[in-house]
Every structure is written in C-alpha cells, then in structure tokens.
C-alpha cells in the first residue's frame, strides 16, 4: 500500500521531492490510492485505523507502549516495558505474539536472537495513540529503566563473550540507549537517573568504538549533576 501511494505521487512531486517526504508522516495522511479501492486502502492512516480497531484492548495497549522503542526489541524487552499498570507479563507476551501474527510487529529471524520492530509508519501511528493515554508520562521512565538493566547486563557479558558475539547481542540497542539518555536529561526526565545511565553507558559506548560521543555525554552529565541541589558523589 505504501508503494502504491508513493507511486501515485511521482508525477505530482517528482522523485527528489517524493524522497524528501518519505522520512515524515506524509503517507500517514496522504490520499492517493485508486478511487475504486475500499476506503481503508486509500490512505495508510485509514488502513492502520481499521487494523487498530480489530485489536483487543491488551493488544492496543502493548502496540502503544512498543512505540517507545527506537530500534529493534526482543520479546523479553517488549514484555519488560509493556507489562505495566494492570497488564501481566503473560498478557503482554500474548499481545506481542498476536501483533506479530497480524503483521503490526515485524520479526527478524536472521540472527541467533529473534528481534522485532515496528515499521516507521506503524510506530508513528501507535505513538500518536500513546500520547493521548495516561501511560505517556511514564513510558520513557519504563524504557529508561529497561535500558539501564540492559547496559549493566551488557557490561557483565563482555567478559563472557567474544567481541563478535557481544556485538551481535547488544549493538542493535544503540538507538534506544541514546533515546533513554536524551529523555533522562530532558525537562521531563530525571537528572539522577540520567547520570546513572550515563555511567552505565560508558562501557557500552566504548565497546562500540563511540569514544567521542560518550565522552561528550560524560562531560554533559558531570555538568548537569554538579548543578543539582542534592549532590550525588557516588554517581559523579
């Protein structure tokens, strides 16, 4: 459907203008399918609305909460973040599996660890739904808590794995590490959590060869922590 919607606009926008719009939400709202198609196939938003309304309440909640992930995620990480506020781990697990069966979650089995992700348009749609819920204020905190645990596990596993094994297991998470750090240092974040995440992220960044990036993050964290009223010597 996305390809058909794009192809219908080549003559109107040209290739360069069309390409420049692929990174935004243009095709969530744009109309351009065949006029003879059913309404739900004329725009991506209509298609997603139709699919979303067919989901159970737990599936809708989990889809919304999964939109916090910036990159791929495992079933384990999906359950850790999504099984909150009255949703059990079993409910979250079943919802993730059902979403995968319904192609709202894509699955990559090319690596030893099976990973999942939301396509860009699906993630944008789900996040718009999330932003209207009570979860929105807490989802970043849940995500950051998960990232912190992932970073500590990654540091411990470095001693037990070869470099190639470690990269295959953890490298995918870099975008979520960055996202968690950026949120934690934002006005809505938590300065102590942010500094703690930064400290935990240093070995992770080092193993990925991102020395300059994480050195800058350390400098920023030190300046931030030194400015808060309640000093944290251990974190510093």
């Amino acid at each position: 459907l996305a390809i058909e919607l794009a192809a219908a606009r080549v003559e109107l926008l040209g290739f360069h203008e069309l390409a420049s719009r692929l990174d935004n939400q243009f095709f969530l709202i744009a109309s351009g399918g065949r006029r003879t198609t059913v309404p739900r196939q004329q725009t991506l938003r209509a298609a997603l609305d139709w699919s979303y309304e067919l989901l159970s309440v737990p599936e809708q909640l989990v889809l919304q909460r999964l939109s916090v992930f910036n990159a791929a995620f495992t079933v384990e990480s999906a359950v850790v973040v999504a099984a909150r506020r009255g949703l059990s781990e079993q409910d979250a697990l079943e919802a993730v599996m059902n979403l995968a069966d319904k192609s709202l979650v894509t699955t990559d089995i090319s690596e030893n660890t099976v990973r999942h992700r939301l396509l860009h348009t699906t993630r944008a749609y789900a996040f718009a739904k999330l932003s209207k819920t009570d979860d929105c204020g807490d989802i970043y905190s849940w995500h950051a808590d998960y990232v912190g645990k992932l970073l500590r596990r990654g540091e411990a596993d470095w001693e037990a794995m070869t470099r190639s094994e470690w990269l295959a297991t953890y490298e995918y998470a870099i975008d979520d590490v960055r996202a968690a750090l950026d949120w934690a240092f934002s006005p809505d974040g938590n300065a102590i959590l942010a500094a703690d995440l930064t400290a935990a992220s240093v070995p992770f960044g080092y193993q990925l060869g991102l020395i300059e990036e994480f050195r800058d993050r350390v400098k920023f964290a030190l300046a931030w922590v030194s400015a808060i009223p309640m000093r944290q010597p251990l974190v510093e």
Side-chain angles (χ1 to χ4, degrees), residues 72-91:
F73 52 85
T74 63
V75 169
E76 176 195 7
S77 57
V79 170
V80 168
V81 171
R84 309 271 181 159
R85 221 168 254 161
L87 199 65
S88 70
E89 291 187 2
Q90 185 61 35
D91 289 338

Side-chain angles (χ1 to χ4, degrees), residues 25 28 44 48 51-52 55 63-64 66-67 99 103-106 117-129:
Q25 310 315 313
L28 273 181
L44 284 181
L48 287 166
S51 297
Y52 185 81
L55 300 177
L63 182 64
Q64 292 169 13
L66 292 181
S67 68
L99 290 170
S103 299
L104 287 168
V105 167
T106 64
R117 69 171 61 243
L118 299 184
L119 296 179
H120 177 70
T121 48
T122 306
R123 180 172 177 258
Y125 178 88
F127 191 81
K129 293 286 188 183

